[in-house]
Amino acid sequence: LLIDWINTTLKEEHIVVKSLEEDLYDGLVLHHLLENLGSLKLDVDKIALTEKKQRQKLTVILEAVSKCLQLEEKQLKWSVESILAKDLLSTLHLLVAIAKHFEPSLALPPNVQVETITIENTSRGLKTANAVEYITENKEKLEAQSKGDAFDELFSRAPDKLDAVKEVFLQFVNQHVGKLGLNVKDIESQFADGVILLLLTGQLEGYFLNLRDFFLTPASTTEMV
């Protein structure tokens, strides 16, 4: 599924991936993928022929991914060295994270797991430890999350009260973004491109958003994402 997704995304650039281990380690495909999905302009060469250049390129790419996905180093399940070493597990974790962020509608199957065996050389000999690692969300966790909340109850049991709730939210939103000279009249349409949501967050948290960090008037789905 991931290979098909990458090839579909990069079809116009005539890039064809056949193996995740062999085709992603040098950063070329990842570079094109991120530029295509997130309109990210990465300051690196398109082609890196030496291992030193590939390591430098992957460092820039993975730093951009961490920043974009707002992940701290301790949350990362991949590294420059593991991707460069063609580690399939790290590559899968990286691609799933990118897909979930940029293509949330991609139908990744839940509960994909692999059994890992860690072998450690100790003074008493080889020590092995088995563990199960999830590539995609744990199904039980997903089911727990999908049991619903107050809004699900509202939609299913009291749809007639939905307009009243929306009106309260509109008042709340306009109370804050009104300070910026903005007026929201329709939650569905005016929140779709993310701009109002960004500006509202800035007002609530008391900080100014750098206008260079996002598109104030997005003209395409990519810019909205």
Side-chain angles (χ1 to χ4, degrees):
L1 188 144
L2 287 169
I3 288 174
D4 287 344
W5 168 61
I6 293 170
N7 288 337
T8 301
T9 304
L10 301 181
K11 185 177 180 180
E12 291 183 5
E13 299 187 45
H14 307 292
I15 291 175
V16 178
V17 169
K18 294 182 178 179
S19 164
L20 295 181
E21 299 101 306
E22 296 297 329
D23 295 339
L24 272 80
Y25 78 94
D26 61 358
L28 175 66
V29 173
L30 288 172
H31 187 176
H32 281 273
L33 190 63
L34 288 170
E35 285 196 338
N36 195 290
L37 290 171
S39 298
L40 298 177
K41 296 301 176 187
L42 302 174
D43 188 20
V44 287
D45 296 331
K46 286 286 184 186
I47 299 176
L49 296 176
T50 66
E51 186 176 319
K52 182 180 178 181
K53 289 282 187 182
Q54 289 167 357
R55 184 175 279 104
Q56 290 173 346
K57 181 170 183 168
L58 279 172
T59 301
V60 173
I61 289 171
L62 297 186
E63 283 177 355
V65 170
S66 300
K67 184 178 179 181
C68 203
L69 275 58
Q70 296 183 328
L71 295 173
E72 297 178 9
E73 191 171 344
K74 60 184 179 182
Q75 296 175 285
L76 303 180
K77 295 181 179 180
W78 58 82
S79 67
V80 171
E81 295 305 321
S82 64
I83 299 296
L84 199 58
K86 305 180 183 180
D87 182 275
L88 180 58
L89 199 55
S90 296
T91 305
L92 286 172
H93 278 307
L94 174 61
L95 288 174
V96 168
I98 291 172
K100 283 172 65 178
H101 181 79
F102 290 108
E103 292 278 0
S105 61
L106 190 68
L108 289 168
N111 217 34
V112 177
Q113 61 188 48
V114 294
E115 184 177 355
T116 60
I117 304 171
T118 306
I119 302 173
E120 185 183 355
N121 194 359
T122 67
S123 57
R124 296 181 179 180
L126 293 178
K127 179 183 176 183
T128 63
N130 291 38
V132 172
E133 190 159 343
Y134 284 91
I135 304 296
T136 59
E137 295 273 13
N138 185 333
K139 192 174 182 181
E140 293 175 2
K141 184 180 175 184
L142 282 177
E143 287 174 350
Q145 290 173 344
S146 65
K147 286 182 179 177
D149 55 20
F151 287 102
D152 294 311
E153 291 283 312
L154 182 66
F155 276 101
S156 62
R157 299 193 183 188
D160 53 310
K161 295 181 181 178
L162 190 59
D163 286 338
V165 173
K166 284 163 70 174
E167 188 60 36
V168 172
F169 277 124
L170 279 174
Q171 291 174 9
F172 165 73
V173 171
N174 285 321
Q175 178 187 345
H176 295 282
V177 299
K179 299 170 188 176
L180 301 172
L182 298 169
N183 183 41
V184 176
K185 294 180 179 178
D186 184 82
I187 286 179
E188 288 95 329
S189 62
Q190 287 182 268
F191 269 80
D193 62 9
V195 175
I196 295 292
L197 189 59
L198 278 172
L199 297 175
L200 176 63
T201 306
Q203 287 295 300
L204 291 173
E205 293 293 324
Y207 59 79
F208 176 75
L209 282 155
N210 193 325
L211 298 180
R212 290 177 298 180
D213 289 346
F214 68 102
F215 296 91
L216 192 58
T217 54
S220 67
T221 304
T222 302
E223 291 181 1
M224 291 178 192
V225 171

